[in-house]
């Protein structure tokens, strides 16, 4: 079981648009019909978080590349704009991480999923979603 990827979460999102497939994955829980919405919310939050992480990595790569060849001294307007963009994408990723934590907490509470000691609900849900792939 590896880390969740954007392609894996997209596949799960498209698979769980169908109620029957969603109920099949939730069959181990008491009320699968009641868990459809929290599961779909969790998948949407994971999708947004993985997209935000990808954007952070892309902006960091561009900034690293452009700073490598920048002349010594005061940074250019382009570098300053890239740094502002990097700060904005990091902030968006932090907010997305909080949304994932809230969605995971809701899913764990509603489903009654057991969470191991020293494991966050986000980690438990990510492991469970990874096992569904």
């Amino acid at each position: 079981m590896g880390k969740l990827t954007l392609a894996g979460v997209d596949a799960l999102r498209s698979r769980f648009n169908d109620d029957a497939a969603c109920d099949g994955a939730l069959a181990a829980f008491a009320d699968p019909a009641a868990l459809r919405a929290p599961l779909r919310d969790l998948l949407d939050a994971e999708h947004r978080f993985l997209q935000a992480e990808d954007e952070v990595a892309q902006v960091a790569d561009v900034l690293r590349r452009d700073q490598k060849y920048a002349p010594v001294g005061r940074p250019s307007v382009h570098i300053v704009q890239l740094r502002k963009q990097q700060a904005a994408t990091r902030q968006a990723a932090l907010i997305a991480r909080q949304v994932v934590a809230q969605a995971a907490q809701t899913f764990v509470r509603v489903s009654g999923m057991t969470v191991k000691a020293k494991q966050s609900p986000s980690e438990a849900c990510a492991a469970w979603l990874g096992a569904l792939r």
Side-chain angles (χ1 to χ4, degrees):
M1 167 177 61
K3 184 180 174 187
L4 286 176
T5 62
L6 194 56
V9 170
D10 282 340
L12 286 173
R13 285 176 70 202
S14 63
R15 187 170 107 193
F16 292 149
N17 279 337
D18 179 34
D19 288 343
C22 196
D23 289 345
L26 296 169
F29 299 106
D31 188 12
L35 293 175
R36 286 183 201 147
L39 176 61
R40 289 176 180 151
D41 292 342
L42 176 64
L43 286 171
D44 289 341
E46 283 283 352
H47 177 76
R48 286 191 299 273
F49 173 64
L50 291 172
Q51 274 186 328
E53 274 191 334
D54 188 45
E55 289 174 11
V56 167
Q58 288 176 358
V59 170
D61 289 344
V62 170
L63 181 61
R64 207 173 6 261
R65 181 197 67 207
D66 290 357
Q67 279 182 335
K68 183 176 182 181
Y69 298 108
V72 177
R74 191 171 177 186
S76 67
V77 173
H78 175 68
I79 298 294
V80 171
Q81 288 174 344
L82 283 174
R83 288 180 183 163
K84 286 181 182 179
Q85 185 179 3
Q86 184 181 34
T89 55
R90 281 185 181 168
Q91 185 67 28
L94 290 173
I95 291 169
R97 179 176 291 151
Q98 288 177 339
V99 171
V100 167
Q102 290 171 348
Q105 182 68 36
T106 301
F107 183 77
V108 167
R109 184 178 22 101
V110 171
S111 68
M113 177 188 284
T114 57
V115 179
K116 296 177 186 174
K118 295 186 180 182
Q119 186 181 34
S120 71
S122 302
E123 292 169 346
C125 288
W128 182 72
L129 289 173
L132 289 178
R133 289 188 294 158

